[in-house]
Amino acid sequence: MEMDNKAEFVKKHEHVEVADEIPPELESLLHTDTKKGLTDAEHKSRLEKFGPNELAEVKTNKLLKFIGYFTDPIAILIIIALIFSAIGKDIANCIIIGVLLLLNAAIGYSMEAQAESALDALKSSLALKTKCWRNGELVEVDTVELVPGDIIVLRLGDIVPADCRLLGISVTGETSDAGLQIDQSALTGESLPVVKNKGQVAYSSSIVKQGQMMAAVTKTGGDTFIGRAANLISNTNEQGHFQKIIGQIGNFLVIVTVVMVMILFIFLMVKHQADDTILRIRQVVVLTVAAIPVGLPTVLSVTMAVGAKQLAAKQVIVKRLTAVEEMASVSILCSDKTGTLTLNQLTFDDPWLMEGFTKEDILLYSFISSEPGANDPIEKAVRTAAQADVPRLQNQRGHEIPGYHVTSFVPFNPTSKRTQATVTDLETNETFLVSKGAPPTMINLVGGNNDAIHAVNDLAGRGLRALGVARTYPGKPDEWHLVGMISLLDPPRPDSADTVKKCQQNGVQVKMITGDQLIIAKEVAHRLGMQRAILDANKLVEKGVDEETITLRCMRADGFAQVIPEHKYRVVELLQNKGLLVGMTGDGVNDAPALKKANVGIAVHDCTDAARSAADIVLLAPGLSTIIDGITTSRAIFQRMRSYALYRITSTIHILIFFFIIILVEEWHMNEILLILIAVLNDLATIVIAFDNAQVSQRPDKWRIGQLIFLSTLLGSLLTMLSFAHYYISIDVFGIDQHAVGGKLQSIMYLHISSAPHFVIFSTRLAGYFWESLPSWFFFTAVMATQVFATLLVIFGIPGFIEGIGPGGGFAVLGISLAFFVFLDLIKVWVFKIWSFELTATFWPTPSRRSKLALRKQQKIDHARLTINVEKVKKVLHTMEAINHFTCP
């Protein structure tokens, strides 16, 4: 039984060593004289051959990056309008279009450049030095200069600068049998340090936790273990979700605009027998500028930039600006466990105690049997807990124990698997022994104990690391008594469980990912308030299983254990293939590929360079609690962007339909300057929507392009009907001359087209009625200022430019616009209420929508069956309780 327990304990906590194959031509370079190191000439030659010890970072050319802001559909259409304005010799129009085009690109470029500069500054502040033998001297060199064959010194606390083979030689040159304790959680995800001995490889970016030894550098830069991660990162260059959405909106508006404008241009040229081509070009270009959402990219960029600054104040640094919008739509958050959800340090947990002993007793005896000065994580956890909870040890420094004196100490060794201390009680002057060690060893020491064996198995089954503690009594040095079993675990961060709960409340499912064993992952998941449906990561690449089955496994799992970087990447990929937007958090090199692949990669506090480079967002505060700030802020930003997009598409459709028909039927044109005023002033005013109040959704937000275009078309069509009513009532009822240059009809239509669509922004701000959430005073003032300007302009007029219609006419048009805005708000609420995904999938089916609809129907069926079964069980239990009550009153 003792051997079985021992084997089981080892199996629970063993780690998997990654194979490190070294080609023969490289092996020949590794036998450097350990007392001299490489010469300068050898170093220079190898540096030229292997390159610097750093991961290649591909940076986009700044000019090409700036040009990239002019390649989306809307920007291309604006450029075409700019060209035709130049052809039409419309200088004012050229200036306005050019300024808006450059402003949009400059805002997007400058905001991302600021984020990159902040990250570069953070990266340059890191210490990147190591001790290395060169020319027979031990010198400090930049880690970037290391080459294969360099002899380096690894000491406690050092970050391993490159993949290197341990030489089994101490810093002073003597042979050393003691291994190094190395924390390689940043690479493999294991929460416990591993012991590496002579001949084994220490991997770049791992940390020396105990010991000191010299090592020979075997691989550098992209050839190291983390090179696989770097390769996965470099292969991930997908277009972001936000760019796809803007592309879809832009393509729709561009196609509609180009088709209508071309029809108008051809009609005008044919009707006027191709006379004055320049005039016809100017007429359609002005209509194009008024119709297309020139400010759409600018407003959305400013909104995201303001949001990024708001997040920075909450210690959330946005590296990629569009990640602000994408975070609002994330429905699944895959989180690395070690160092992200947990503290990445062993901590004393609730012990199992023999009768007659207390928690204070086992902590005291554990402290007495700890090796003084040892930096072992287990010893550190025990000492920390003892000094916190044992009164006589509080406020004590070093290893002094009030009331006791340790006369001798036998440290832990692989043979005995336990420590032993000889202790004298200073009050009675009696001597006794205390020991701490592996559970099988300690149980054997006390002559066996079935209760202890069951306790150890229970702790191991929960993923807790156990150590036995025993003592003797004075005069009986060979009679050992078991005190109990201490248990150790890398515990969740204090805020992790609350963060997971809040994520779930906000409709974001959290999936834990770890390199640890399955049982450890289940225990941590339980403590975080998550379900214990943890999947062995090997099930993600199981041979003979189809992709659909593996994807369903992935979606149903609450976490994944025993993962490697490729597994994390695979999890994100499978979820994305189902159309889900995935967030990924992590801190290590092993997280970098998945961070890059995810829709939103989030590097947490104290992350590695590789993780920071791959991520879209960097958290400056420990833990994940700031993610909740990120989610709520990004959803508020999303609401503002969707509000503007809905308003602007509605305005575009309104202007296009009305002017397309009125020019074809009546050949009536609005003054070019008035159209430009509407387009520019209204767009500039709505930029401040970035500072507007917003309702935060309790579920992940989605653009729902079909809903957006349908509602925009409906609202735009109703506004068009109102425009025709203004036009024909002004002519037929009030007898206003429709062809008078600068006449009253121009004034009426200008104020109407300026105000009626613009007031719609107060409706599109939210899905409910407009009065449920009032706009911010800043936003309200900015929008109303444009309408005050337009109203004063048409009331008083400008001689030779536009005729005044007096206060009665001006306020009448403005009042109608306000009343119609209320009517449109009711229509909007009605559409939002009846619209659903099922409706979209029915009227606008696509393969992905059909698949998602079938999945939702199956989930509803499964949920209904589960509910029925639960009710049946409740009825059975209720019947049994009634029977028991009747038979046993």
Side-chain angles (χ1 to χ4, degrees):
M1 178 64 73
E2 183 266 339
M3 290 303 295
D4 290 343
N5 285 336
K6 176 182 176 182
E8 182 68 16
F9 182 81
V10 171
K11 183 179 179 181
K12 298 294 185 186
H13 298 284
E14 65 183 359
H15 77 280
V16 179
E17 182 67 36
V18 183
D20 185 69
E21 297 181 0
I22 299 177
E25 61 273 15
L26 182 58
E27 180 68 43
S28 63
L29 302 176
L30 304 182
H31 303 288
T32 308
D33 187 335
T34 57
K35 295 182 179 179
K36 295 182 179 179
L38 299 175
T39 64
D40 288 339
E42 289 172 326
H43 171 259
K44 181 179 179 181
S45 173
R46 296 184 187 189
L47 188 61
E48 291 175 353
K49 179 179 180 179
F50 295 100
N53 178 35
E54 60 183 359
L55 293 177
E57 186 176 352
V58 180
K59 288 197 174 184
T60 308
N61 180 279
K62 292 184 178 181
L63 179 60
L64 293 177
K65 188 171 184 178
F66 183 71
I67 292 174
Y69 287 93
F70 300 94
T71 57
D72 63 86
I74 294 176
I76 291 173
L77 188 59
I78 296 173
I79 292 171
I80 293 173
L82 179 64
I83 293 171
F84 278 102
S85 292
I87 294 173
K89 300 178 182 179
D90 192 341
I91 305 302
N93 214 3
C94 281
I95 293 173
I96 293 170
I97 297 173
V99 167
L100 289 174
L101 190 65
L102 290 173
L103 180 63
N104 170 57
I107 289 173
Y109 178 84
S110 63
M111 290 308 301
E112 291 208 15
Q114 286 178 25
E116 289 179 1
S117 297
L119 288 167
D120 288 341
L122 184 61
K123 183 176 178 180
S124 64
S125 66
L126 300 176
L128 300 170
K129 299 280 187 178
T130 190
K131 292 285 187 179
C132 177
W133 284 96
R134 292 271 174 82
N135 303 306
E137 295 182 3
L138 186 62
V139 295
E140 190 174 62
V141 301
D142 292 332
T143 58
V144 73
E145 295 179 0
L146 291 178
V147 296
D150 261 330
I151 304 299
I152 61 173
V153 173
L154 298 178
R155 290 190 175 100
L156 170 66
D158 284 349
I159 298 175
V160 180
D163 285 4
C164 53
R165 181 184 294 164
L166 301 181
L167 299 176
I169 302 174
S170 69
V171 177
T172 54
E174 296 90 3
T175 301
S176 174
D177 294 327
L180 290 184
Q181 273 202 5
I182 292 182
D183 177 1
Q184 56 184 35
S185 59
L187 284 79
T188 64
E190 298 168 289
S191 59
L192 296 175
V194 298
V195 177
K196 297 208 173 187
N197 299 300
K198 178 181 178 180
Q200 291 185 294
V201 173
Y203 296 106
S204 176
S205 296
S206 57
I207 303 171
V208 179
K209 288 293 186 180
Q210 185 173 339
Q212 51 89 18
M213 191 183 296
M214 288 201 292
V217 174
T218 57
K219 294 181 180 180
T220 59
D223 296 325
T224 59
F225 172 74
I226 67 174
R228 288 191 301 170
N231 287 334
L232 281 175
I233 293 171
S234 63
N235 291 333
T236 306
N237 290 301
E238 299 179 358
Q239 187 183 35
H241 171 258
F242 180 72
Q243 285 86 351
K244 291 178 183 178
I245 295 298
I246 294 302
Q248 291 176 20
I249 295 174
N251 288 335
F252 169 75
L253 294 178
V254 166
I255 291 171
V256 173
T257 302
V258 169
V259 169
M260 288 190 169
V261 167
M262 288 301 297
I263 292 174
L264 274 180
F265 180 71
I266 293 170
F267 168 78
L268 291 173
M269 291 296 290
V270 170
K271 184 172 183 178
H272 295 280
Q273 298 180 352
D275 67 318
D276 203 351
T277 303
I278 297 298
L279 175 62
R280 307 308 164 205
I281 290 176
R282 290 182 63 178
Q283 288 175 339
V284 296
V285 166
V286 170
L287 177 58
T288 303
V289 174
I292 62 175
V294 179
L296 179 63
T298 303
V299 172
L300 297 185
S301 294
V302 169
T303 303
M304 287 187 292
V306 171
K309 289 187 176 180
Q310 292 171 348
L311 288 172
K314 298 177 180 180
Q315 295 188 297
V316 179
I317 303 300
V318 177
K319 178 181 174 184
R320 179 173 61 86
L321 202 58
T322 54
V324 175
E325 175 272 336
E326 291 170 12
M327 194 171 185
S329 303
V330 165
S331 58
I332 293 181
L333 181 66
C334 297
S335 177
D336 172 56
K337 177 186 77 70
T338 306
T340 303
L341 290 171
T342 65
L343 294 170
N344 195 18
Q345 63 184 41
L346 283 180
T347 302
F348 188 86
D349 205 68
D350 291 334
W352 175 82
L353 299 167
M354 290 290 291
E355 187 176 352
F357 293 100
T358 65
K359 179 180 178 181
E360 185 178 320
D361 292 331
I362 199 170
L363 280 172
L364 175 62
Y365 296 138
S366 298
F367 186 87
I368 292 173
S369 56
S370 297
E371 183 177 355
N375 199 48
D376 181 88
I378 295 176
E379 301 285 51
K380 184 178 179 181
V382 169
R383 291 200 304 268
T384 301
Q387 290 172 330
D389 295 339
V390 179
R392 72 171 65 205
L393 296 178
Q394 291 174 353
N395 301 319
Q396 290 294 317
R397 294 184 178 181
H399 207 72
E400 294 298 322
I401 308 164
Y404 295 96
H405 176 65
V406 177
T407 56
S408 68
F409 182 83
V410 179
F412 180 91
N413 66 72
T415 303
S416 68
K417 297 188 182 304
R418 68 186 180 94
T419 63
Q420 180 173 305
T422 303
V423 191
T424 300
D425 188 328
L426 298 180
E427 290 184 6
T428 63
N429 206 33
E430 294 177 330
T431 300
F432 60 95
L433 304 176
V434 179
S435 182
K436 175 175 86 274
T441 301
M442 302 308 295
I443 291 172
N444 186 56
L445 184 66
V446 300
N449 186 304
N450 287 330
D451 289 340
I453 290 172
H454 290 311
V456 171
N457 288 334
D458 177 63
L459 292 172
R462 291 166 52 206
L464 298 172
R465 182 145 188 182
L467 287 177
V469 179
R471 65 159 292 176
T472 66
Y473 288 96
K476 299 178 180 180
D478 297 325
E479 187 178 320
W480 288 91
H481 297 269
L482 190 64
V483 178
M485 296 286 169
I486 62 174
S487 60
L488 301 164
L489 178 74
D490 175 19
R493 290 182 179 274
D495 61 341
S496 290
D498 185 56
T499 300
V500 170
K501 182 180 179 181
K502 287 181 178 177
C503 282
Q504 293 169 343
Q505 290 172 346
N506 281 281
V508 179
Q509 182 185 0
V510 179
K511 292 182 183 290
M512 182 178 70
I513 303 181
T514 178
D516 269 329
Q517 299 293 320
L518 194 64
I519 53 172
I520 298 176
K522 287 186 176 182
E523 177 65 18
V524 174
H526 174 69
R527 296 188 180 211
L528 289 171
M530 301 169 62
Q531 299 298 316
R532 296 173 61 127
I534 307 298
L535 186 70
D536 187 321
N538 292 315
K539 296 290 185 181
L540 297 172
V541 290
E542 189 173 358
K543 294 182 180 179
V545 181
D546 62 273
E547 189 86 352
E548 185 65 23
T549 301
I550 291 177
T551 302
L552 288 176
R553 287 177 181 175
C554 185
M555 294 180 68
R556 291 169 179 168
D558 295 294
F560 308 89
Q562 298 178 222
V563 301
I564 58 176
E566 288 85 348
H567 289 151
K568 296 187 179 187
Y569 186 94
R570 175 77 166 150
V571 168
V572 174
E573 184 178 47
L574 288 171
L575 294 171
Q576 287 178 331
N577 289 343
K578 276 295 181 181
L580 300 169
L581 262 70
V582 182
M584 174 72 198
T585 72
D587 62 346
V589 175
N590 61 326
D591 302 313
L595 289 172
K596 184 71 173 179
K597 174 65 175 173
N599 299 95
V600 181
I602 304 168
V604 300
H605 178 67
D606 281 344
C607 60
T608 61
D609 281 352
R612 187 181 300 113
S613 176
D616 304 308
I617 291 174
V618 180
L619 306 183
L620 299 184
L624 292 181
S625 58
T626 48
I627 280 186
I628 302 301
D629 291 329
I631 290 174
T632 54
T633 302
S634 64
R635 288 184 183 178
I637 294 164
F638 180 92
Q639 294 294 339
R640 295 170 188 138
M641 290 195 294
R642 186 174 65 178
S643 168
Y644 174 77
L646 179 57
Y647 148 74
R648 198 59 186 86
I649 299 171
T650 298
S651 297
T652 296
I653 291 172
H654 164 233
I655 290 175
L656 279 175
I657 295 177
F658 174 70
F659 282 103
F660 178 78
I661 295 174
I662 206 71
I663 292 174
L664 286 178
V665 176
E666 300 288 348
E667 204 171 335
W668 180 81
H669 298 274
M670 179 176 280
N671 185 295
E672 297 174 4
I673 302 300
L674 294 178
L675 266 178
I676 294 296
L677 275 176
I678 293 173
V680 174
L681 290 180
N682 288 9
D683 264 350
L684 287 177
T686 48
I687 285 180
V688 298
I689 197 173
F691 304 94
D692 186 27
N693 299 327
Q695 283 188 335
V696 178
S697 170
Q698 292 301 307
R699 309 294 303 173
D701 287 307
K702 294 181 181 178
W703 277 98
R704 295 184 176 89
I705 295 299
Q707 181 192 72
L708 187 69
I709 291 176
F710 173 82
L711 184 55
S712 299
T713 303
L714 177 61
L715 297 179
S717 300
L718 292 172
L719 283 169
T720 301
M721 294 171 61
L722 181 64
S723 296
F724 280 117
H726 274 75
Y727 182 86
Y728 285 112
I729 289 175
S730 297
I731 296 171
D732 298 337
V733 176
F734 295 101
I736 296 175
D737 184 2
Q738 62 177 318
H739 297 296
V741 178
K744 290 185 177 180
L745 184 59
Q746 290 278 341
S747 301
I748 293 171
M749 295 309 298
Y750 164 69
L751 181 57
H752 156 67
I753 293 174
S754 173
S755 61
H758 209 197
F759 288 149
V760 171
I761 192 70
F762 294 128
S763 173
T764 60
R765 296 176 55 254
L766 63 164
Y769 297 105
F770 72 91
W771 61 79
E772 292 177 3
S773 176
L774 298 178
S776 68
W777 69 268
F778 186 36
F779 177 61
F780 179 80
T781 302
V783 172
M784 293 308 297
T786 62
Q787 302 317 311
V788 169
F789 170 81
T791 304
L792 293 176
L793 181 63
V794 300
I795 286 176
F796 298 105
I798 297 177
F801 173 59
I802 185 171
E803 186 177 347
I805 59 175
F811 289 122
V813 173
L814 208 61
I816 292 171
S817 294
L818 284 169
F820 202 73
F821 143 72
V822 176
F823 168 71
L824 292 181
D825 189 66
L826 298 175
I827 297 294
K828 174 212 67 180
V829 173
W830 174 75
V831 171
F832 276 130
K833 283 184 177 179
I834 67 168
W835 198 279
S836 65
F837 173 78
E838 287 76 10
L839 188 68
T840 305
T842 302
F843 288 100
W844 196 348
T846 63
S848 63
R849 284 182 181 142
R850 284 195 293 267
S851 174
K852 191 179 293 185
L853 184 60
L855 180 62
R856 288 191 178 186
K857 287 181 179 179
Q858 185 60 48
Q859 288 174 338
K860 286 183 179 179
I861 293 172
D862 292 342
H863 184 266
R865 287 175 179 170
L866 180 62
T867 303
I868 292 171
N869 291 335
V870 169
E871 290 301 322
K872 286 181 179 179
V873 172
K874 286 182 178 179
K875 286 181 180 180
V876 171
L877 292 174
H878 181 72
T879 303
M880 292 177 65
E881 286 178 2
I883 293 172
N884 290 335
H885 180 74
F886 179 76
T887 57
C888 305

